[in-house]
Amino acid sequence: MAEVIKNRYEFTILFDVENGNPNGDPDAGNMPRIDPETGYGIVTDVCLKRKIRNCIETLCEDKEGYKIYIKDGVPLNDSDNTAYIALGTDEKKIKELKKDDPEIDKKICQFMCKNFFDIRTFGAVMTTFVKAALNCGQVRGPVQLGFARSIDPIVTQEVTITRVAITTKKDAENKSTEMGRKYIVPYALYRVDGYISANLARKVTGFSEDDLTLLWQSIINMFEYDRSAARGNMAVRELIVFKHASELGNAPAYKLFDTVSVKRKDGVVTARSYNDYEVEVAEEKLPEGVSCTRMI
């Protein structure tokens, strides 16, 4: 197993969408999420973590130590049960085992962190059984993301679409096409800030240097292996990483994020591509003990 990370990190991701819906809101007819007061677009942290998980699953294909816990079509109970099977017990015998081995809860949690990349990275609540007899614990992961917000207010466009495939024979007798609607954002650039705690990695999950390398790779490619007509054309444009010289950090996170400036170029009234923006990092303003790398 690779060495656990020893440095704290913060990072900023810039990604854009063209003629797509980056994160539909089920409470609003699946329209793109928006801040109703300001008009800025929103993409939730849950949505972005899903993309990262999908990318890891594609890259690693259930390789040992890199399974995905929050996974489509796989009940959480089944994943939880793998820890009990590995330790030679089940939910009926766990109470007796706890009397003989007070460390069993810790061992179960460590098994889950070791075998599931997303638990080791983002953490998880693994108390999934109704009677809580089978309980793999709660883990706070070292990697956390905020909500992404668009650089400028967005405009949601409703597009009417038609199809020639008719659902039933009866409908085919009366019409040759069917109508539908989809919601898109013509163009928007989003920014999300993230955090990586070396302290939590050492004390809780064992998030390693190899995991960190894989995390950067999955962030850069999180839209490349997850294309969808509904999401349009999405791409990660920038990954800006701030590395501290110590485990607990050398400066407050906000001071690092404040060095990243994203604005429209002079003369651009309505941005319709990434080239309409200027992205600058004021590295001369970085506090002592912090370095910056623009990975893409």
Side-chain angles (χ1 to χ4, degrees):
M1 199 70 179
E3 188 177 19
V4 175
I5 62 170
K6 295 182 179 179
N7 304 87
R8 193 181 104 185
Y9 294 85
E10 272 84 43
F11 58 94
T12 293
I13 307 168
L14 295 176
F15 64 91
D16 62 359
V17 59
E18 182 180 359
N19 294 329
N21 184 351
N23 186 200
D25 185 350
D27 290 330
N30 209 43
M31 292 177 63
R33 295 181 188 270
I34 193 170
D35 181 341
E37 290 187 304
T38 64
Y40 288 98
I42 295 172
V43 175
T44 66
D45 59 326
V46 174
C47 175
L48 296 174
K49 288 177 181 179
R50 177 75 271 149
K51 300 295 183 289
I52 294 172
R53 285 185 172 100
N54 289 347
C55 190
I56 293 295
E57 190 174 6
T58 299
L59 293 171
C60 298
E61 295 187 343
D62 276 342
K63 185 173 68 175
E64 184 178 355
Y66 292 91
K67 294 180 179 180
I68 297 298
Y69 182 66
I70 309 295
K71 187 175 180 179
D72 183 34
V74 179
L76 297 180
N77 290 355
D78 287 357
S79 297
D80 291 341
N81 202 43
T82 60
Y84 281 67
I85 293 172
L87 295 174
T89 187
D90 57 41
E91 69 271 20
K92 296 178 181 178
K93 301 176 183 177
I94 190 63
K95 289 184 179 180
E96 297 177 7
L97 189 60
K98 285 183 178 181
K99 294 178 182 178
D100 299 331
D101 186 357
E103 295 290 312
I104 191 64
D105 284 339
K106 185 177 180 180
K107 291 177 181 178
I108 290 171
C109 188
Q110 288 175 341
F111 175 90
M112 298 300 286
C113 289
K114 180 180 179 181
N115 285 274
F116 293 90
F117 176 87
D118 54 338
I119 295 177
R120 198 161 62 245
T121 304
F122 302 125
V125 177
M126 299 174 284
T127 53
T128 59
F129 278 61
V130 176
K131 295 182 180 179
L134 185 52
N135 182 345
C136 294
Q138 299 182 35
V139 175
R140 183 154 63 102
V143 181
Q144 299 299 330
L145 293 170
F147 277 24
R149 193 182 77 158
S150 62
I151 301 302
D152 293 313
I154 67 171
V155 175
T156 299
Q157 184 176 344
E158 182 180 10
V159 179
T160 302
I161 56 176
T162 61
R163 71 177 190 188
V164 296
I166 306 303
T167 305
T168 67
K169 288 185 177 180
K170 184 176 181 180
D171 288 341
E173 294 174 359
N174 301 315
K175 57 185 178 181
S176 59
T177 61
E178 288 192 343
M179 309 291 286
R181 289 181 175 85
K182 65 189 300 185
Y183 297 101
I184 65 168
V185 177
Y187 182 81
L189 178 64
Y190 290 79
R191 169 179 172 165
V192 60
D193 296 326
Y195 314 82
I196 303 178
S197 168
N199 187 254
L200 282 175
R202 176 176 59 84
K203 290 181 177 180
V204 182
T205 72
F207 185 79
S208 70
E209 293 290 346
D210 284 351
D211 293 333
L212 182 65
T213 300
L214 190 57
L215 176 67
W216 298 144
Q217 185 181 356
S218 63
I219 288 174
I220 292 170
N221 294 288
M222 63 180 170
F223 301 120
E224 297 301 317
Y225 311 133
D226 194 39
R227 298 293 182 188
S228 165
R231 285 189 287 276
N233 186 19
M234 297 187 67
V236 174
R237 296 292 190 162
E238 288 266 1
L239 174 56
I240 302 167
V241 178
F242 300 100
K243 180 179 180 180
H244 296 255
S246 64
E247 179 184 281
L248 295 179
N250 299 79
Y254 77 88
K255 288 190 176 181
L256 310 183
F257 295 139
D258 284 350
T259 64
V260 180
S261 171
V262 185
K263 61 183 180 180
R264 290 194 306 272
K265 292 180 179 178
D266 291 342
V268 175
V269 178
T270 302
R272 280 295 180 265
S273 76
Y274 184 69
N275 292 328
D276 290 334
Y277 287 94
E278 289 180 344
V279 181
E280 296 180 352
V281 182
E283 296 190 40
E284 69 279 1
K285 295 182 179 179
L286 289 176
E288 185 177 352
V290 179
S291 60
C292 174
T293 303
R294 298 178 73 165
M295 301 193 73
I296 55 173

